[in-house]
Amino acid sequence: MEVIRKWIQTIMALLVNGSWSFPFTRTIYQGPLKVVCSPGLNCYSCPAATTYCPIGSLQQMMAGIRVALENGQNFFGLYVIGTMGILGGVFGRLICGWACPFGLIQELLHKIPSRKFNIPQKLNYIKYFFLIFFVILLPLTAVDAFGYGEPWYCKYFCPAGTLEAGLPMLLLQPELGRTIGPIFYNKLFILVGFIIWSILASRPFCRTACPLGAFYSLFKKLKLVKLRLVEENCTKCGECHSVCPMGVKFNESPENAECISCLKCMDKACRFDAITLEIAGLPIGSKSGPRIPVALK
C-alpha cells in the first residue's frame, strides 16, 4: 500500500504541475485549468502549476471582501470555500497524505539518514493560528487606502511558495533578483529551516504550520473516508504509534485531527485487524490478521 501511495502522490504532483512549457515561456501558466482548485498545498505562482492554491485563493477572497461589498458585489467566493469544503468533507486530511506535493517533499527529505526527533504535540496548534490570523483576519482587516488586503501567509511565510515559485522564477527571470529584499530572505530562511527540520522530524510543516491541513482537520468527524478502530480486536500493543508519520497514537485517539490516513498503521503495524478503512461508513481494505481471545487482551 505504501508503494501505491507514493505513486499516487507523484502522479498528483505531476497533474497539478503539468505545464512544462515554462523553460521556453519563462512565465507562469495562465491557461483554462488555472480555475481548478488543487487539493493540496501547491503554489499558484509555480511556473509549472496548472491549478490554483486553495489557501492563496482564500486569502485573496478575504482581501477583497470589503471592496466587493462597497461596490455592491454581494458574493463571498463560495466557489473557493465550497471546493475546499467538499474536499474536506469527503477526504479530510487524507489529502495531506495522498495528494499534497509539499507533503511528498517532506517525506522524501525525512528519508535522508540522520538522527530523528519527535515533535511536541503542543506545536500542532500553531497551524490553527496561521489559518485564523494570517489567512483570514489579516487579509480581511489590514487593508490599504483602497480597501484591499494582502495575502499575508503567501507573502510573508509560506515555504512551499518559496520553493515552488520564488526560487524557480528567479532562475527563469534573473532580472527579478534586483527586486528581492528582506521579505524574500526571511521566507528563504523559513524554507531552509523547514528543510532541515523535515530531515530530522517527520512532516513538521504539515504538523505545525500548514493552514490547509488545519482547515481539513476541522472535518475529522464528518469526512466520508476515514480509518476506524475496531476496539474488540485491539490489543493495545502500541505498534501503530511507531509507524505514524504524524505522531498519532491511533488506538488512543482514532479521530485525531492529525491523522492523514496514510494507512501505515493498518498496513504495516496492526496484526490483529483492529484498524479498517471506511468509506461512508462501509469498511473496506480489512486485513484478516490473527485474532486473540478477549480474555488475553
Side-chain angles (χ1 to χ4, degrees), residues 50-237:
T50 52
T51 57
Y52 69 80
C53 174
I55 289 298
S57 296
L58 182 57
Q59 290 172 89
Q60 293 291 349
M61 183 197 77
M62 301 306 297
I65 279 182
R66 287 193 178 191
V67 175
L69 291 176
E70 289 173 359
N71 292 327
Q73 299 172 344
N74 299 316
F75 63 88
F76 300 96
L78 295 181
Y79 174 70
V80 175
I81 297 176
T83 302
M84 293 174 65
I86 291 172
L87 289 171
V90 175
F91 301 106
R93 294 203 69 181
L94 178 144
I95 292 170
C96 305
W98 292 75
C100 182
F102 203 62
L104 173 61
I105 290 171
Q106 291 174 84
E107 289 186 4
L108 295 176
L109 287 170
H110 193 59
K111 291 182 177 295
I112 297 176
S114 72
R115 184 180 177 184
K116 306 301 180 183
F117 298 88
N118 293 324
I119 298 176
Q121 294 292 321
K122 292 181 179 180
L123 297 183
N124 293 341
Y125 295 102
I126 299 176
K127 60 180 173 289
Y128 298 100
F129 165 79
F130 281 118
L131 175 63
I132 296 171
F133 192 68
F134 274 78
V135 175
I136 298 175
L137 291 182
L138 280 177
L140 181 63
T141 59
V143 298
D144 60 21
F146 301 99
Y148 287 101
E150 289 185 317
W152 284 74
Y153 187 81
C154 295
K155 184 175 180 179
Y156 296 102
F157 187 85
C158 185
T162 307
L163 179 64
E164 298 174 4
L167 294 177
M169 288 308 297
L170 278 176
L171 294 175
L172 294 173
Q173 301 180 16
E175 62 274 14
L176 291 176
R178 295 192 295 268
T179 66
I180 65 175
I183 293 176
F184 177 80
Y185 290 118
N186 175 69
K187 290 188 64 179
L188 186 61
F189 176 79
I190 292 171
L191 171 62
V192 172
F194 273 109
I195 288 175
I196 296 172
W197 199 4
S198 297
I199 296 172
L200 301 176
S202 176
R203 283 180 169 254
F205 176 77
C206 300
R207 295 164 72 172
T208 68
C210 181
L212 186 57
F215 179 85
Y216 286 148
S217 70
L218 301 177
F219 296 86
K220 63 178 182 179
K221 292 187 177 181
L222 302 175
K223 59 186 180 181
L224 296 181
V225 182
K226 64 173 69 176
L227 291 175
R228 185 174 72 89
L229 177 68
V230 184
E231 294 188 11
E232 59 268 25
N233 290 352
C234 181
T235 65
K236 297 180 173 56
C237 64

Side-chain angles (χ1 to χ4, degrees), residues 234-242 251 269-272:
C234 181
T235 65
K236 297 180 173 56
C237 64
E239 288 296 319
C240 55
H241 304 182
S242 61
N251 66 310
C270 187
R271 296 173 292 128
F272 301 103

